[in-house]
Amino acid sequence: MKSKKMPRIAIALVAAATAATALAACGNNNDDGTSGDTATLTWWHNMNTDPGLSYWQGVVADYEAAHDGVKIDMQVYQSEDLRNKLKTALQSADAPDLFQQWGGGELRDQVEAGFVKDITSDVAAELAVIGSGNAAGWQVDGKTYGLPFTLGIEGIYYNKDLFEQAGITAVPTTLPELDAAIAKLKEAGITPISLGGQDSWPAGHWYYNFALRECSTATMTETGGSLDFSDPCWEKAASDLKAFAETEPFNDGWITTSAQQGAGSSAGMLANTQVAMELTGIWESGVVGSLTPDQKVPEFLGWFPFPSISGGKGDPTAAMAGGDGFSCHTQAPPECVDFLKYILSDAVQEGYAATGSVPSNPNAYTGLTEPLLQDITDQAKSVKFTQLWMDVAFGNNVGTAINTSTVALLQGQLSAADFVKALQDAAATA
Amino acid sequence: MSHPSTGGSRVAAPPQREGHGPASGGDASALPAGSGRRGRTAWRQRFEITVLTGPALIVFLGFVIAPVIVAAYCGFFNWNGYGPLVKSVGFDNYIAVLKDKNFYEALGHNIFIVVMSLLCQGPLALLVALLLNKKMKGRSALRVLLFVPYVISEAIIGVGWRLILGTGQTGGALNALLDNIGLGWLQHYWLDNGSAIWVLLGICTWKYLGYAIILFLAGMQGIPEELSEAAAIDGASYWKTQWHITLPLLGPTLRIWAFLSIIGSLQLFDLVYVIWGKAAQFTGVSTMASYMVQSGRDMGRWGYGNAVAVVMFLISLVIALAYQRFVLRRDTEGSLTEGR
């Protein structure tokens, strides 16, 4: 290091490298792919396995055939990969035009950063069909920035055969009935409920549902905006759940159990008759189906809504719900919205329903061939209020805090009061 | 006594190629200093320095220093990952890191792994290296076998151990084996709270033992046989020879190995992430890096995550510099310290 030039070179290099990084971060320009009469739409989503994958490839081919000059470049990714990739891609020059949108707090962030097209005036008809309450997760300040293509309510999936074996004659409709059913299952030597604690969100979903029963619809909606958890119902829900967990309803080793990966996962245990119940979203029949030896949704699989809790302020028919949607990038060509409308049309949604998924367009329920899904969508008709998943609706930060704190609550590491404090702390940094 | 340092520098070479921070810069600048004495023009010397150190410097500055600076800068903002950095929060993120008990818990796990790795791997690797340093049948095969875990990617090892140890109720191969050989009472939820950190230590030891052994063996090759021959003629026992000759002359190798082990333990992430995933924080195996991912990326608090990264960098840097200053100084004198 005798030469005096070295430090100067070093400084120059640091400056250059820093500048390059900064420039990369600032490059928000998006090529809209329009040139003359042809337009190319890039479309990113997570339906990367069959039957979904081939179905959507067919949809793309149909649309291209009907629209001269429009080319759709469909790229599929695994769910978590897609979330991470989208985050950086949206700010880069090669952002997708149409992309998967989970809605809620993440959408709000994207909208505030100016990446998402306001499609309010274009999709009024589609919004009316889906129901504006159901699409609330894809709206920010009254404007629509995306629409769900699949949507469904949450409930408890159960094994009818194991219930019968344990002498349970009717599905539980109240919390004491659920407790009684758990006791009977244990007596019969059957693990009552599987829980994918390793992924933490499956634990969070138990809290969401207890909170949905304890908190009034108004509180629920207000908290989505204020992130204020001071209403006593939030702590009551936590203490209810803690008391429920103390009856040890979950499978041994739930904390290292994953939600959907393989036979040892919580869904896999339900698929392979090792547990009687699992609380989860509308995707369950597909996941369970893929984890059985014959790759079919087993006949023993049934569904009932989350039980009511006496004294709770929540609407007893209210349900947690969620779905996947799509948004258009602000720089996307106009064909993007048109293709989104096509995806939500009755015909395309009906075909999607036949692949074993629940469409967001209720007119397409006629396409459902899976009896279990027909049953769930029938029962969903009596649901007057749906709440989007809290880890989506309340934003990444508070949502993750709810999920991880619920694991700690179930483990007995947190009291109900500390649980609420953890949520308040997370909300303070949001 | 020139031999020990020969052994030392030979052993020190591989880590420098891996680009472990401070060592790589010094290594490159030491080269032309030795060859430039033959009266070449100043211009030529400068040219050589630029050409020889340039690529390494660019990579080092671009991929180590610049990201650290950018991370430190991002750490001053409350940033959700989208758009420009606008919500400046001063030192709030850094203060929050230093106030979070979960961070200290993670740091505690790192320190546990640092200390226990040294205590477990060191003696064990030394004994095996002594054994493998003897001429015997199948020596090469044994060396290769012991080195295999180190060669396999951490992700693959993680998945493998996860399957063996078992997750959830179904358990894994190990529990099934215990049951089948009549040791059912030993069955355990290995990855759960309580045993998790010991399982992690065990897997780390298993994986990195081979690396330590190879380093020690290389060090032992550098120790001249004459010394132990002389000791044998003087009537020293085998263990006495090892204790008084091999071990002291292996000093530089041991110190470099300990340095790499400490740094590796501080940065531990892959194994934890693959085996425990998000459950790491609930089962007592969170590390600083897993905490960073959980509290930064998973929660969408990118500014905070950057602050964690910087704190982690500083902790590692202080430990690395202190170690170099107080432990490695005598081994690296002349190669790292010249010109300062």
Side-chain angles (χ1 to χ4, degrees), chain A residues 311-341:
Chain A
K313 289 185 198 134
D315 173 355
T317 70
M320 291 304 301
D324 297 332
F326 292 121
S327 284
C328 286
H329 197 281
T330 28
Q331 309 285 333
E335 285 82 359
C336 181
V337 184
D338 190 59
F339 182 61
L340 175 59
K341 287 159 81 96

Short mmCIF file of all heavy atoms in Angstrom, two decimals, chain A residues 311-341:
data_model
loop_
_atom_site.label_atom_id
_atom_site.label_comp_id
_atom_site.label_asym_id
_atom_site.label_seq_id
_atom_site.Cartn_x
_atom_site.Cartn_y
_atom_site.Cartn_z
N GLY A 311 -71.51 -15.38 24.10
CA GLY A 311 -71.02 -14.14 24.72
C GLY A 311 -70.15 -13.33 23.80
O GLY A 311 -69.83 -12.19 24.10
N GLY A 312 -69.75 -13.90 22.68
CA GLY A 312 -68.91 -13.17 21.75
C GLY A 312 -69.70 -12.10 21.02
O GLY A 312 -70.90 -12.27 20.78
N LYS A 313 -69.05 -11.00 20.67
CA LYS A 313 -69.76 -9.90 20.01
C LYS A 313 -69.80 -10.07 18.50
O LYS A 313 -70.44 -9.30 17.80
CB LYS A 313 -69.08 -8.57 20.34
CG LYS A 313 -69.29 -8.14 21.78
CD LYS A 313 -68.69 -6.75 22.01
CE LYS A 313 -68.48 -6.49 23.48
NZ LYS A 313 -67.15 -5.92 23.76
N GLY A 314 -69.08 -11.04 18.01
CA GLY A 314 -69.01 -11.21 16.56
C GLY A 314 -70.27 -11.85 16.01
O GLY A 314 -71.02 -12.51 16.72
N ASP A 315 -70.49 -11.64 14.72
CA ASP A 315 -71.58 -12.30 14.01
C ASP A 315 -71.26 -13.79 13.96
O ASP A 315 -70.22 -14.19 13.44
CB ASP A 315 -71.64 -11.69 12.59
CG ASP A 315 -72.62 -12.41 11.69
OD1 ASP A 315 -73.18 -13.43 12.11
OD2 ASP A 315 -72.80 -11.93 10.56
N PRO A 316 -72.15 -14.63 14.52
CA PRO A 316 -71.81 -16.07 14.59
C PRO A 316 -71.68 -16.74 13.23
O PRO A 316 -71.11 -17.82 13.13
CB PRO A 316 -72.96 -16.67 15.41
CG PRO A 316 -74.03 -15.66 15.44
CD PRO A 316 -73.42 -14.33 15.18
N THR A 317 -72.20 -16.10 12.18
CA THR A 317 -72.06 -16.72 10.86
C THR A 317 -70.86 -16.16 10.10
O THR A 317 -70.53 -16.64 9.02
CB THR A 317 -73.31 -16.46 9.99
OG1 THR A 317 -73.34 -15.07 9.64
CG2 THR A 317 -74.58 -16.85 10.71
N ALA A 318 -70.22 -15.11 10.65
CA ALA A 318 -69.10 -14.49 9.95
C ALA A 318 -68.00 -15.51 9.70
O ALA A 318 -67.84 -16.46 10.47
CB ALA A 318 -68.56 -13.32 10.75
N ALA A 319 -67.27 -15.32 8.64
CA ALA A 319 -66.21 -16.27 8.32
C ALA A 319 -64.96 -15.55 7.87
O ALA A 319 -65.02 -14.48 7.26
CB ALA A 319 -66.67 -17.22 7.22
N MET A 320 -63.84 -16.15 8.23
CA MET A 320 -62.58 -15.69 7.67
C MET A 320 -62.57 -16.12 6.21
O MET A 320 -63.10 -17.18 5.87
CB MET A 320 -61.37 -16.33 8.36
CG MET A 320 -61.15 -15.90 9.79
SD MET A 320 -60.97 -14.11 10.01
CE MET A 320 -59.57 -13.74 8.96
N ALA A 321 -61.99 -15.30 5.36
CA ALA A 321 -61.97 -15.67 3.95
C ALA A 321 -60.71 -15.11 3.31
O ALA A 321 -60.06 -14.22 3.84
CB ALA A 321 -63.20 -15.11 3.24
N GLY A 322 -60.43 -15.66 2.18
CA GLY A 322 -59.27 -15.17 1.46
C GLY A 322 -59.31 -15.67 0.05
O GLY A 322 -60.12 -16.53 -0.30
N GLY A 323 -58.47 -15.10 -0.73
CA GLY A 323 -58.42 -15.52 -2.10
C GLY A 323 -57.17 -15.00 -2.76
O GLY A 323 -56.36 -14.34 -2.13
N ASP A 324 -57.03 -15.32 -4.01
CA ASP A 324 -55.91 -14.81 -4.78
C ASP A 324 -56.48 -13.96 -5.90
O ASP A 324 -57.49 -14.31 -6.49
CB ASP A 324 -55.09 -15.95 -5.37
CG ASP A 324 -54.48 -16.82 -4.30
OD1 ASP A 324 -54.22 -16.30 -3.20
OD2 ASP A 324 -54.29 -18.02 -4.54
N GLY A 325 -55.82 -12.86 -6.18
CA GLY A 325 -56.31 -11.99 -7.24
C GLY A 325 -55.21 -11.57 -8.19
O GLY A 325 -54.08 -12.07 -8.12
N PHE A 326 -55.57 -10.68 -9.08
CA PHE A 326 -54.59 -10.12 -10.02
C PHE A 326 -54.70 -8.61 -10.04
O PHE A 326 -55.79 -8.06 -9.89
CB PHE A 326 -54.84 -10.65 -11.44
CG PHE A 326 -54.55 -12.11 -11.59
CD1 PHE A 326 -55.54 -12.98 -12.00
CD2 PHE A 326 -53.28 -12.61 -11.32
CE1 PHE A 326 -55.27 -14.34 -12.15
CE2 PHE A 326 -53.01 -13.96 -11.46
CZ PHE A 326 -54.02 -14.82 -11.87
N SER A 327 -53.55 -7.95 -10.24
CA SER A 327 -53.52 -6.51 -10.44
C SER A 327 -52.80 -6.22 -11.74
O SER A 327 -51.96 -7.02 -12.18
CB SER A 327 -52.77 -5.82 -9.30
OG SER A 327 -53.54 -5.75 -8.15
N CYS A 328 -53.09 -5.05 -12.33
CA CYS A 328 -52.34 -4.59 -13.49
C CYS A 328 -51.34 -3.54 -13.04
O CYS A 328 -51.64 -2.70 -12.19
CB CYS A 328 -53.28 -3.97 -14.52
SG CYS A 328 -54.27 -5.19 -15.40
N HIS A 329 -50.15 -3.58 -13.61
CA HIS A 329 -49.14 -2.57 -13.34
C HIS A 329 -49.57 -1.25 -13.99
O HIS A 329 -50.23 -1.26 -15.03
CB HIS A 329 -47.80 -3.03 -13.90
CG HIS A 329 -46.63 -2.28 -13.35
ND1 HIS A 329 -46.28 -1.04 -13.80
CD2 HIS A 329 -45.74 -2.60 -12.39
CE1 HIS A 329 -45.21 -0.63 -13.13
NE2 HIS A 329 -44.87 -1.56 -12.27
N THR A 330 -49.20 -0.13 -13.36
CA THR A 330 -49.57 1.17 -13.92
C THR A 330 -49.11 1.34 -15.36
O THR A 330 -49.73 2.02 -16.15
CB THR A 330 -48.98 2.33 -13.09
OG1 THR A 330 -47.80 1.88 -12.47
CG2 THR A 330 -49.96 2.81 -12.05
N GLN A 331 -47.97 0.70 -15.70
CA GLN A 331 -47.41 0.86 -17.03
C GLN A 331 -47.93 -0.19 -18.02
O GLN A 331 -47.47 -0.24 -19.15
CB GLN A 331 -45.88 0.75 -16.98
CG GLN A 331 -45.23 1.64 -15.95
CD GLN A 331 -45.21 3.08 -16.38
OE1 GLN A 331 -45.22 3.39 -17.56
NE2 GLN A 331 -45.21 3.99 -15.42
N ALA A 332 -48.85 -1.03 -17.57
CA ALA A 332 -49.30 -2.12 -18.44
C ALA A 332 -50.16 -1.58 -19.58
O ALA A 332 -50.85 -0.58 -19.42
CB ALA A 332 -50.11 -3.12 -17.61
N PRO A 333 -50.13 -2.26 -20.73
CA PRO A 333 -50.98 -1.85 -21.85
C PRO A 333 -52.45 -2.07 -21.49
O PRO A 333 -52.76 -2.87 -20.62
CB PRO A 333 -50.54 -2.76 -22.99
CG PRO A 333 -49.88 -3.92 -22.34
CD PRO A 333 -49.30 -3.43 -21.06
N PRO A 334 -53.36 -1.37 -22.19
CA PRO A 334 -54.80 -1.46 -21.86
C PRO A 334 -55.34 -2.89 -21.93
O PRO A 334 -56.32 -3.21 -21.26
CB PRO A 334 -55.46 -0.58 -22.92
CG PRO A 334 -54.40 -0.04 -23.80
CD PRO A 334 -53.08 -0.44 -23.30
N GLU A 335 -54.69 -3.73 -22.75
CA GLU A 335 -55.16 -5.11 -22.88
C GLU A 335 -55.13 -5.85 -21.54
O GLU A 335 -55.82 -6.86 -21.37
CB GLU A 335 -54.29 -5.87 -23.89
CG GLU A 335 -54.54 -5.51 -25.34
CD GLU A 335 -53.82 -4.25 -25.77
OE1 GLU A 335 -53.12 -3.63 -24.93
OE2 GLU A 335 -53.94 -3.87 -26.95
N CYS A 336 -54.32 -5.35 -20.60
CA CYS A 336 -54.19 -6.02 -19.31
C CYS A 336 -55.55 -6.12 -18.62
O CYS A 336 -55.96 -7.19 -18.17
CB CYS A 336 -53.20 -5.25 -18.43
SG CYS A 336 -52.94 -6.00 -16.83
N VAL A 337 -56.25 -5.00 -18.54
CA VAL A 337 -57.56 -4.98 -17.87
C VAL A 337 -58.54 -5.87 -18.63
O VAL A 337 -59.34 -6.60 -18.02
CB VAL A 337 -58.09 -3.55 -17.75
CG1 VAL A 337 -59.40 -3.53 -16.97
CG2 VAL A 337 -57.07 -2.65 -17.08
N ASP A 338 -58.46 -5.81 -19.94
CA ASP A 338 -59.36 -6.62 -20.76
C ASP A 338 -59.16 -8.10 -20.48
O ASP A 338 -60.12 -8.86 -20.34
CB ASP A 338 -59.12 -6.31 -22.24
CG ASP A 338 -60.20 -6.93 -23.10
OD1 ASP A 338 -61.38 -6.60 -22.89
OD2 ASP A 338 -59.86 -7.78 -23.96
N PHE A 339 -57.89 -8.50 -20.38
CA PHE A 339 -57.59 -9.91 -20.11
C PHE A 339 -58.05 -10.29 -18.70
O PHE A 339 -58.58 -11.38 -18.47
CB PHE A 339 -56.10 -10.18 -20.29
CG PHE A 339 -55.72 -11.61 -20.09
CD1 PHE A 339 -56.25 -12.61 -20.88
CD2 PHE A 339 -54.83 -11.97 -19.08
CE1 PHE A 339 -55.91 -13.94 -20.69
CE2 PHE A 339 -54.48 -13.29 -18.88
CZ PHE A 339 -55.03 -14.28 -19.69
N LEU A 340 -57.90 -9.38 -17.74
CA LEU A 340 -58.36 -9.63 -16.38
C LEU A 340 -59.88 -9.86 -16.36
O LEU A 340 -60.38 -10.77 -15.70
CB LEU A 340 -57.98 -8.45 -15.46
CG LEU A 340 -58.49 -8.51 -14.02
CD1 LEU A 340 -57.99 -9.76 -13.31
CD2 LEU A 340 -58.05 -7.28 -13.24
N LYS A 341 -60.59 -9.03 -17.13
CA LYS A 341 -62.05 -9.20 -17.22
C LYS A 341 -62.40 -10.55 -17.83
O LYS A 341 -63.37 -11.20 -17.44
CB LYS A 341 -62.66 -8.06 -18.06
CG LYS A 341 -62.68 -6.74 -17.32
CD LYS A 341 -62.78 -5.56 -18.28
CE LYS A 341 -64.19 -5.30 -18.75
NZ LYS A 341 -64.86 -4.25 -17.95
#
